[in-house]
Each structure stands twice: as structure tokens, then as C-alpha cells.
Amino acid sequence: MKKMIAYYHAAKEELFKVVFPTKEQIRNALISVVVVVFVVALFLGLVDLILFASVTRIL
């Protein structure tokens, strides 16, 4: 039981050391992720379109 209590206290101490991101940092990260996902989706869509057109012409 003492080990569980010690573990709980150690976990609680570590949680106080955590630095959570600010709202601005979260917003900036979200914008970055959305932009990267959009660019990759456009690229993959373009590659798919080119490959589809190429295969259609061959067949």
C-alpha cells in the first residue's frame, strides 16, 4: 500500500512540473497541421489524377 501512495505522490509531483502549451501555441500548431494535411492531400490528388489519366490512355 505504501508503494501505491508513493507512486501517486510521485506522479502528482511530476504533473506539477508539466508545462502545458498556451492557447496561441495550440492554435499555431493546429494551423500548421491543417496546412500540411491540405498540401499533402492536394499533392496526392494530383498524383492520382496523373496516374489515372496515364493508365486510362494506355488501356
mmCIF file of all heavy atoms in Angstrom, residues 14-57:
data_model
loop_
_atom_site.group_PDB
_atom_site.id
_atom_site.type_symbol
_atom_site.label_atom_id
_atom_site.label_comp_id
_atom_site.label_asym_id
_atom_site.label_seq_id
_atom_site.Cartn_x
_atom_site.Cartn_y
_atom_site.Cartn_z
ATOM 1 N N GLU A 14 5.249 15.063 -10.557
ATOM 2 C CA GLU A 14 5.651 15.173 -11.956
ATOM 3 C C GLU A 14 4.624 15.962 -12.761
ATOM 4 O O GLU A 14 4.975 16.714 -13.666
ATOM 5 C CB GLU A 14 5.846 13.796 -12.580
ATOM 6 C CG GLU A 14 7.081 13.067 -12.098
ATOM 7 C CD GLU A 14 8.376 13.788 -12.456
ATOM 8 O OE1 GLU A 14 8.473 14.330 -13.572
ATOM 9 O OE2 GLU A 14 9.275 13.815 -11.600
ATOM 10 N N LEU A 15 3.359 15.815 -12.424
ATOM 11 C CA LEU A 15 2.310 16.535 -13.133
ATOM 12 C C LEU A 15 2.426 18.037 -12.902
ATOM 13 O O LEU A 15 2.131 18.828 -13.800
ATOM 14 C CB LEU A 15 0.935 16.028 -12.705
ATOM 15 C CG LEU A 15 -0.238 16.494 -13.542
ATOM 16 C CD1 LEU A 15 -0.052 16.084 -15.005
ATOM 17 C CD2 LEU A 15 -1.533 15.917 -13.022
ATOM 18 N N PHE A 16 2.872 18.440 -11.733
ATOM 19 C CA PHE A 16 3.066 19.863 -11.462
ATOM 20 C C PHE A 16 4.241 20.429 -12.268
ATOM 21 O O PHE A 16 4.297 21.639 -12.507
ATOM 22 C CB PHE A 16 3.288 20.122 -9.975
ATOM 23 C CG PHE A 16 2.021 20.061 -9.165
ATOM 24 C CD1 PHE A 16 1.888 19.149 -8.138
ATOM 25 C CD2 PHE A 16 0.958 20.913 -9.451
ATOM 26 C CE1 PHE A 16 0.719 19.094 -7.390
ATOM 27 C CE2 PHE A 16 -0.215 20.859 -8.706
ATOM 28 C CZ PHE A 16 -0.331 19.946 -7.673
ATOM 29 N N LYS A 17 5.160 19.596 -12.692
ATOM 30 C CA LYS A 17 6.308 20.050 -13.487
ATOM 31 C C LYS A 17 5.967 20.232 -14.968
ATOM 32 O O LYS A 17 6.716 20.862 -15.687
ATOM 33 C CB LYS A 17 7.458 19.039 -13.369
ATOM 34 C CG LYS A 17 8.037 18.919 -11.983
ATOM 35 C CD LYS A 17 9.135 17.871 -11.969
ATOM 36 C CE LYS A 17 9.664 17.605 -10.581
ATOM 37 N NZ LYS A 17 10.691 16.547 -10.583
ATOM 38 N N VAL A 18 4.842 19.698 -15.382
ATOM 39 C CA VAL A 18 4.458 19.760 -16.793
ATOM 40 C C VAL A 18 4.105 21.193 -17.163
ATOM 41 O O VAL A 18 3.385 21.883 -16.444
ATOM 42 C CB VAL A 18 3.256 18.833 -17.080
ATOM 43 C CG1 VAL A 18 2.751 19.014 -18.498
ATOM 44 C CG2 VAL A 18 3.637 17.389 -16.820
ATOM 45 N N VAL A 19 4.633 21.628 -18.312
ATOM 46 C CA VAL A 19 4.308 22.954 -18.838
ATOM 47 C C VAL A 19 3.364 22.748 -20.003
ATOM 48 O O VAL A 19 3.751 22.236 -21.052
ATOM 49 C CB VAL A 19 5.577 23.697 -19.290
ATOM 50 C CG1 VAL A 19 5.213 25.057 -19.859
ATOM 51 C CG2 VAL A 19 6.558 23.828 -18.135
ATOM 52 N N PHE A 20 2.106 23.122 -19.818
ATOM 53 C CA PHE A 20 1.110 22.938 -20.856
ATOM 54 C C PHE A 20 1.212 24.070 -21.866
ATOM 55 O O PHE A 20 1.549 25.201 -21.514
ATOM 56 C CB PHE A 20 -0.295 22.892 -20.235
ATOM 57 C CG PHE A 20 -0.519 21.670 -19.398
ATOM 58 C CD1 PHE A 20 -0.409 21.713 -18.019
ATOM 59 C CD2 PHE A 20 -0.826 20.461 -20.007
ATOM 60 C CE1 PHE A 20 -0.597 20.581 -17.253
ATOM 61 C CE2 PHE A 20 -1.032 19.321 -19.245
ATOM 62 C CZ PHE A 20 -0.917 19.385 -17.862
ATOM 63 N N PRO A 21 0.918 23.783 -23.139
ATOM 64 C CA PRO A 21 1.024 24.828 -24.163
ATOM 65 C C PRO A 21 -0.051 25.893 -23.986
ATOM 66 O O PRO A 21 -1.140 25.619 -23.471
ATOM 67 C CB PRO A 21 0.818 24.067 -25.476
ATOM 68 C CG PRO A 21 0.102 22.825 -25.103
ATOM 69 C CD PRO A 21 0.521 22.499 -23.702
ATOM 70 N N THR A 22 0.285 27.095 -24.443
ATOM 71 C CA THR A 22 -0.684 28.186 -24.369
ATOM 72 C C THR A 22 -1.690 28.043 -25.509
ATOM 73 O O THR A 22 -1.492 27.259 -26.435
ATOM 74 C CB THR A 22 0.028 29.547 -24.494
ATOM 75 O OG1 THR A 22 0.641 29.629 -25.786
ATOM 76 C CG2 THR A 22 1.079 29.725 -23.403
ATOM 77 N N LYS A 23 -2.753 28.827 -25.440
ATOM 78 C CA LYS A 23 -3.770 28.779 -26.490
ATOM 79 C C LYS A 23 -3.170 29.187 -27.836
ATOM 80 O O LYS A 23 -3.529 28.636 -28.875
ATOM 81 C CB LYS A 23 -4.950 29.677 -26.140
ATOM 82 C CG LYS A 23 -5.823 29.131 -25.055
ATOM 83 C CD LYS A 23 -7.035 30.018 -24.816
ATOM 84 C CE LYS A 23 -7.896 29.431 -23.717
ATOM 85 N NZ LYS A 23 -9.098 30.238 -23.483
ATOM 86 N N GLU A 24 -2.257 30.143 -27.821
ATOM 87 C CA GLU A 24 -1.624 30.590 -29.059
ATOM 88 C C GLU A 24 -0.769 29.478 -29.668
ATOM 89 O O GLU A 24 -0.787 29.271 -30.884
ATOM 90 C CB GLU A 24 -0.770 31.833 -28.798
ATOM 91 C CG GLU A 24 -0.148 32.388 -30.060
ATOM 92 C CD GLU A 24 0.688 33.626 -29.808
ATOM 93 O OE1 GLU A 24 0.650 34.166 -28.681
ATOM 94 O OE2 GLU A 24 1.385 34.046 -30.742
ATOM 95 N N GLN A 25 -0.039 28.757 -28.843
ATOM 96 C CA GLN A 25 0.782 27.651 -29.341
ATOM 97 C C GLN A 25 -0.093 26.543 -29.918
ATOM 98 O O GLN A 25 0.234 25.972 -30.960
ATOM 99 C CB GLN A 25 1.658 27.091 -28.216
ATOM 100 C CG GLN A 25 2.754 28.020 -27.785
ATOM 101 C CD GLN A 25 3.479 27.520 -26.545
ATOM 102 O OE1 GLN A 25 2.889 26.844 -25.693
ATOM 103 N NE2 GLN A 25 4.755 27.864 -26.432
ATOM 104 N N ILE A 26 -1.204 26.258 -29.266
ATOM 105 C CA ILE A 26 -2.123 25.233 -29.761
ATOM 106 C C ILE A 26 -2.712 25.668 -31.095
ATOM 107 O O ILE A 26 -2.792 24.886 -32.048
ATOM 108 C CB ILE A 26 -3.235 24.953 -28.732
ATOM 109 C CG1 ILE A 26 -2.644 24.294 -27.489
ATOM 110 C CG2 ILE A 26 -4.324 24.089 -29.328
ATOM 111 C CD1 ILE A 26 -3.607 24.170 -26.331
ATOM 112 N N ARG A 27 -3.111 26.941 -31.195
ATOM 113 C CA ARG A 27 -3.682 27.464 -32.437
ATOM 114 C C ARG A 27 -2.668 27.406 -33.569
ATOM 115 O O ARG A 27 -2.975 26.975 -34.683
ATOM 116 C CB ARG A 27 -4.168 28.903 -32.234
ATOM 117 C CG ARG A 27 -4.847 29.492 -33.450
ATOM 118 C CD ARG A 27 -5.372 30.889 -33.194
ATOM 119 N NE ARG A 27 -4.454 31.767 -32.491
ATOM 120 C CZ ARG A 27 -3.503 32.495 -33.094
ATOM 121 N NH1 ARG A 27 -3.379 32.464 -34.391
ATOM 122 N NH2 ARG A 27 -2.703 33.263 -32.375
ATOM 123 N N ASN A 28 -1.429 27.801 -33.293
ATOM 124 C CA ASN A 28 -0.385 27.763 -34.318
ATOM 125 C C ASN A 28 -0.100 26.334 -34.779
ATOM 126 O O ASN A 28 0.080 26.083 -35.974
ATOM 127 C CB ASN A 28 0.895 28.417 -33.811
ATOM 128 C CG ASN A 28 0.761 29.918 -33.659
ATOM 129 O OD1 ASN A 28 -0.120 30.538 -34.252
ATOM 130 N ND2 ASN A 28 1.594 30.508 -32.838
ATOM 131 N N ALA A 29 -0.068 25.407 -33.846
ATOM 132 C CA ALA A 29 0.163 24.009 -34.203
ATOM 133 C C ALA A 29 -1.000 23.467 -35.033
ATOM 134 O O ALA A 29 -0.787 22.747 -36.011
ATOM 135 C CB ALA A 29 0.358 23.163 -32.945
ATOM 136 N N LEU A 30 -2.219 23.821 -34.656
ATOM 137 C CA LEU A 30 -3.395 23.376 -35.403
ATOM 138 C C LEU A 30 -3.374 23.915 -36.827
ATOM 139 O O LEU A 30 -3.623 23.171 -37.783
ATOM 140 C CB LEU A 30 -4.671 23.831 -34.690
ATOM 141 C CG LEU A 30 -5.971 23.509 -35.411
ATOM 142 C CD1 LEU A 30 -6.199 22.002 -35.436
ATOM 143 C CD2 LEU A 30 -7.125 24.225 -34.762
ATOM 144 N N ILE A 31 -3.052 25.185 -36.984
ATOM 145 C CA ILE A 31 -2.979 25.777 -38.320
ATOM 146 C C ILE A 31 -1.907 25.082 -39.143
ATOM 147 O O ILE A 31 -2.110 24.767 -40.326
ATOM 148 C CB ILE A 31 -2.728 27.292 -38.228
ATOM 149 C CG1 ILE A 31 -3.966 27.980 -37.662
ATOM 150 C CG2 ILE A 31 -2.361 27.882 -39.576
ATOM 151 C CD1 ILE A 31 -3.761 29.441 -37.295
ATOM 152 N N SER A 32 -0.754 24.807 -38.548
ATOM 153 C CA SER A 32 0.329 24.129 -39.255
ATOM 154 C C SER A 32 -0.106 22.742 -39.718
ATOM 155 O O SER A 32 0.150 22.352 -40.857
ATOM 156 C CB SER A 32 1.559 23.995 -38.352
ATOM 157 O OG SER A 32 2.028 25.258 -37.981
ATOM 158 N N VAL A 33 -0.767 22.009 -38.844
ATOM 159 C CA VAL A 33 -1.216 20.656 -39.191
ATOM 160 C C VAL A 33 -2.242 20.698 -40.311
ATOM 161 O O VAL A 33 -2.161 19.914 -41.268
ATOM 162 C CB VAL A 33 -1.780 19.938 -37.945
ATOM 163 C CG1 VAL A 33 -2.514 18.668 -38.331
ATOM 164 C CG2 VAL A 33 -0.667 19.634 -36.961
ATOM 165 N N VAL A 34 -3.185 21.616 -40.234
ATOM 166 C CA VAL A 34 -4.218 21.717 -41.265
ATOM 167 C C VAL A 34 -3.598 22.074 -42.611
ATOM 168 O O VAL A 34 -3.951 21.496 -43.640
ATOM 169 C CB VAL A 34 -5.306 22.735 -40.852
ATOM 170 C CG1 VAL A 34 -6.229 23.060 -42.005
ATOM 171 C CG2 VAL A 34 -6.097 22.206 -39.673
ATOM 172 N N VAL A 35 -2.648 23.002 -42.627
ATOM 173 C CA VAL A 35 -1.991 23.400 -43.876
ATOM 174 C C VAL A 35 -1.213 22.231 -44.468
ATOM 175 O O VAL A 35 -1.299 21.962 -45.676
ATOM 176 C CB VAL A 35 -1.080 24.620 -43.643
ATOM 177 C CG1 VAL A 35 -0.164 24.868 -44.829
ATOM 178 C CG2 VAL A 35 -1.922 25.858 -43.361
ATOM 179 N N VAL A 36 -0.450 21.523 -43.652
ATOM 180 C CA VAL A 36 0.336 20.389 -44.149
ATOM 181 C C VAL A 36 -0.581 19.295 -44.682
ATOM 182 O O VAL A 36 -0.327 18.731 -45.752
ATOM 183 C CB VAL A 36 1.272 19.851 -43.044
ATOM 184 C CG1 VAL A 36 1.886 18.522 -43.448
ATOM 185 C CG2 VAL A 36 2.361 20.867 -42.745
ATOM 186 N N VAL A 37 -1.651 18.993 -43.979
ATOM 187 C CA VAL A 37 -2.590 17.963 -44.433
ATOM 188 C C VAL A 37 -3.214 18.380 -45.761
ATOM 189 O O VAL A 37 -3.348 17.563 -46.681
ATOM 190 C CB VAL A 37 -3.675 17.697 -43.365
ATOM 191 C CG1 VAL A 37 -4.826 16.892 -43.930
ATOM 192 C CG2 VAL A 37 -3.055 16.978 -42.174
ATOM 193 N N PHE A 38 -3.582 19.648 -45.898
ATOM 194 C CA PHE A 38 -4.178 20.139 -47.136
ATOM 195 C C PHE A 38 -3.198 20.041 -48.302
ATOM 196 O O PHE A 38 -3.560 19.583 -49.385
ATOM 197 C CB PHE A 38 -4.639 21.592 -46.938
ATOM 198 C CG PHE A 38 -5.365 22.159 -48.113
ATOM 199 C CD1 PHE A 38 -6.653 21.756 -48.400
ATOM 200 C CD2 PHE A 38 -4.759 23.093 -48.930
ATOM 201 C CE1 PHE A 38 -7.334 22.275 -49.490
ATOM 202 C CE2 PHE A 38 -5.419 23.617 -50.019
ATOM 203 C CZ PHE A 38 -6.714 23.210 -50.305
ATOM 204 N N VAL A 39 -1.954 20.426 -48.085
ATOM 205 C CA VAL A 39 -0.936 20.364 -49.142
ATOM 206 C C VAL A 39 -0.674 18.915 -49.548
ATOM 207 O O VAL A 39 -0.592 18.597 -50.741
ATOM 208 C CB VAL A 39 0.365 21.065 -48.696
ATOM 209 C CG1 VAL A 39 1.506 20.792 -49.645
ATOM 210 C CG2 VAL A 39 0.128 22.568 -48.563
ATOM 211 N N VAL A 40 -0.552 18.030 -48.594
ATOM 212 C CA VAL A 40 -0.318 16.617 -48.907
ATOM 213 C C VAL A 40 -1.518 16.030 -49.642
ATOM 214 O O VAL A 40 -1.349 15.265 -50.609
ATOM 215 C CB VAL A 40 -0.006 15.818 -47.611
ATOM 216 C CG1 VAL A 40 -0.015 14.320 -47.874
ATOM 217 C CG2 VAL A 40 1.341 16.237 -47.053
ATOM 218 N N ALA A 41 -2.727 16.396 -49.238
ATOM 219 C CA ALA A 41 -3.926 15.904 -49.923
ATOM 220 C C ALA A 41 -3.965 16.398 -51.365
ATOM 221 O O ALA A 41 -4.305 15.638 -52.282
ATOM 222 C CB ALA A 41 -5.174 16.344 -49.174
ATOM 223 N N LEU A 42 -3.626 17.659 -51.589
ATOM 224 C CA LEU A 42 -3.574 18.181 -52.958
ATOM 225 C C LEU A 42 -2.537 17.442 -53.794
ATOM 226 O O LEU A 42 -2.781 17.082 -54.952
ATOM 227 C CB LEU A 42 -3.266 19.675 -52.952
ATOM 228 C CG LEU A 42 -4.407 20.601 -52.616
ATOM 229 C CD1 LEU A 42 -3.923 22.048 -52.570
ATOM 230 C CD2 LEU A 42 -5.519 20.479 -53.637
ATOM 231 N N PHE A 43 -1.375 17.214 -53.216
ATOM 232 C CA PHE A 43 -0.309 16.505 -53.926
ATOM 233 C C PHE A 43 -0.751 15.091 -54.294
ATOM 234 O O PHE A 43 -0.588 14.656 -55.436
ATOM 235 C CB PHE A 43 0.958 16.470 -53.073
ATOM 236 C CG PHE A 43 2.049 15.623 -53.659
ATOM 237 C CD1 PHE A 43 2.775 16.059 -54.754
ATOM 238 C CD2 PHE A 43 2.339 14.384 -53.114
ATOM 239 C CE1 PHE A 43 3.778 15.276 -55.297
ATOM 240 C CE2 PHE A 43 3.331 13.596 -53.650
ATOM 241 C CZ PHE A 43 4.061 14.040 -54.751
ATOM 242 N N LEU A 44 -1.312 14.371 -53.332
ATOM 243 C CA LEU A 44 -1.747 13.005 -53.610
ATOM 244 C C LEU A 44 -2.884 12.969 -54.624
ATOM 245 O O LEU A 44 -2.943 12.083 -55.478
ATOM 246 C CB LEU A 44 -2.163 12.305 -52.314
ATOM 247 C CG LEU A 44 -1.028 11.996 -51.337
ATOM 248 C CD1 LEU A 44 -1.584 11.413 -50.056
ATOM 249 C CD2 LEU A 44 -0.005 11.075 -51.960
ATOM 250 N N GLY A 45 -3.786 13.951 -54.544
ATOM 251 C CA GLY A 45 -4.858 14.036 -55.529
ATOM 252 C C GLY A 45 -4.315 14.289 -56.922
ATOM 253 O O GLY A 45 -4.788 13.696 -57.901
ATOM 254 N N LEU A 46 -3.325 15.148 -57.034
ATOM 255 C CA LEU A 46 -2.706 15.432 -58.330
ATOM 256 C C LEU A 46 -1.992 14.198 -58.882
ATOM 257 O O LEU A 46 -2.124 13.864 -60.065
ATOM 258 C CB LEU A 46 -1.731 16.601 -58.199
ATOM 259 C CG LEU A 46 -1.046 17.070 -59.474
ATOM 260 C CD1 LEU A 46 -2.086 17.603 -60.458
ATOM 261 C CD2 LEU A 46 -0.028 18.142 -59.156
ATOM 262 N N VAL A 47 -1.253 13.510 -58.036
ATOM 263 C CA VAL A 47 -0.563 12.289 -58.460
ATOM 264 C C VAL A 47 -1.592 11.244 -58.901
ATOM 265 O O VAL A 47 -1.409 10.581 -59.932
ATOM 266 C CB VAL A 47 0.340 11.739 -57.328
ATOM 267 C CG1 VAL A 47 0.834 10.342 -57.639
ATOM 268 C CG2 VAL A 47 1.509 12.679 -57.088
ATOM 269 N N ASP A 48 -2.672 11.095 -58.157
ATOM 270 C CA ASP A 48 -3.720 10.143 -58.513
ATOM 271 C C ASP A 48 -4.334 10.498 -59.863
ATOM 272 O O ASP A 48 -4.553 9.613 -60.699
ATOM 273 C CB ASP A 48 -4.790 10.120 -57.427
ATOM 274 C CG ASP A 48 -5.868 9.102 -57.714
ATOM 275 O OD1 ASP A 48 -5.531 7.931 -57.988
ATOM 276 O OD2 ASP A 48 -7.051 9.483 -57.647
ATOM 277 N N LEU A 49 -4.605 11.768 -60.080
ATOM 278 C CA LEU A 49 -5.188 12.216 -61.340
ATOM 279 C C LEU A 49 -4.251 11.927 -62.522
ATOM 280 O O LEU A 49 -4.685 11.430 -63.560
ATOM 281 C CB LEU A 49 -5.498 13.716 -61.267
ATOM 282 C CG LEU A 49 -6.193 14.331 -62.467
ATOM 283 C CD1 LEU A 49 -7.592 13.738 -62.607
ATOM 284 C CD2 LEU A 49 -6.252 15.830 -62.316
ATOM 285 N N ILE A 50 -2.975 12.206 -62.337
ATOM 286 C CA ILE A 50 -1.989 11.956 -63.406
ATOM 287 C C ILE A 50 -1.879 10.467 -63.697
ATOM 288 O O ILE A 50 -1.877 10.039 -64.857
ATOM 289 C CB ILE A 50 -0.620 12.560 -63.028
ATOM 290 C CG1 ILE A 50 -0.711 14.089 -63.040
ATOM 291 C CG2 ILE A 50 0.473 12.079 -63.963
ATOM 292 C CD1 ILE A 50 0.492 14.781 -62.452
ATOM 293 N N LEU A 51 -1.786 9.658 -62.646
ATOM 294 C CA LEU A 51 -1.669 8.214 -62.852
ATOM 295 C C LEU A 51 -2.943 7.643 -63.473
ATOM 296 O O LEU A 51 -2.871 6.782 -64.357
ATOM 297 C CB LEU A 51 -1.361 7.503 -61.536
ATOM 298 C CG LEU A 51 0.038 7.740 -60.977
ATOM 299 C CD1 LEU A 51 0.171 7.100 -59.606
ATOM 300 C CD2 LEU A 51 1.100 7.228 -61.919
ATOM 301 N N PHE A 52 -4.097 8.119 -63.064
ATOM 302 C CA PHE A 52 -5.359 7.657 -63.628
ATOM 303 C C PHE A 52 -5.427 7.994 -65.113
ATOM 304 O O PHE A 52 -5.801 7.152 -65.938
ATOM 305 C CB PHE A 52 -6.534 8.295 -62.879
ATOM 306 C CG PHE A 52 -7.876 7.936 -63.454
ATOM 307 C CD1 PHE A 52 -8.410 6.675 -63.241
ATOM 308 C CD2 PHE A 52 -8.581 8.846 -64.218
ATOM 309 C CE1 PHE A 52 -9.638 6.336 -63.775
ATOM 310 C CE2 PHE A 52 -9.816 8.513 -64.765
ATOM 311 C CZ PHE A 52 -10.353 7.252 -64.539
ATOM 312 N N ALA A 53 -5.039 9.227 -65.471
ATOM 313 C CA ALA A 53 -5.054 9.625 -66.876
ATOM 314 C C ALA A 53 -4.069 8.798 -67.691
ATOM 315 O O ALA A 53 -4.356 8.395 -68.827
ATOM 316 C CB ALA A 53 -4.740 11.109 -66.995
ATOM 317 N N SER A 54 -2.902 8.530 -67.124
ATOM 318 C CA SER A 54 -1.889 7.740 -67.831
ATOM 319 C C SER A 54 -2.367 6.312 -68.074
ATOM 320 O O SER A 54 -2.219 5.772 -69.176
ATOM 321 C CB SER A 54 -0.576 7.699 -67.019
ATOM 322 O OG SER A 54 -0.080 8.996 -66.839
ATOM 323 N N VAL A 55 -2.925 5.694 -67.058
ATOM 324 C CA VAL A 55 -3.398 4.307 -67.185
ATOM 325 C C VAL A 55 -4.578 4.255 -68.144
ATOM 326 O O VAL A 55 -4.702 3.315 -68.948
ATOM 327 C CB VAL A 55 -3.753 3.729 -65.801
ATOM 328 C CG1 VAL A 55 -4.485 2.411 -65.921
ATOM 329 C CG2 VAL A 55 -2.504 3.577 -64.949
ATOM 330 N N THR A 56 -5.446 5.227 -68.111
ATOM 331 C CA THR A 56 -6.607 5.255 -68.998
ATOM 332 C C THR A 56 -6.169 5.354 -70.448
ATOM 333 O O THR A 56 -6.731 4.690 -71.321
ATOM 334 C CB THR A 56 -7.521 6.443 -68.654
ATOM 335 O OG1 THR A 56 -7.895 6.339 -67.271
ATOM 336 C CG2 THR A 56 -8.777 6.435 -69.506
ATOM 337 N N ARG A 57 -5.155 6.139 -70.740
ATOM 338 C CA ARG A 57 -4.660 6.272 -72.110
ATOM 339 C C ARG A 57 -3.999 4.981 -72.587
ATOM 340 O O ARG A 57 -4.084 4.622 -73.752
ATOM 341 C CB ARG A 57 -3.669 7.413 -72.217
ATOM 342 C CG ARG A 57 -4.338 8.764 -72.171
ATOM 343 C CD ARG A 57 -3.324 9.852 -72.337
ATOM 344 N NE ARG A 57 -3.970 11.133 -72.114
ATOM 345 C CZ ARG A 57 -3.742 12.193 -72.863
ATOM 346 N NH1 ARG A 57 -2.871 12.116 -73.863
ATOM 347 N NH2 ARG A 57 -4.348 13.308 -72.606
#
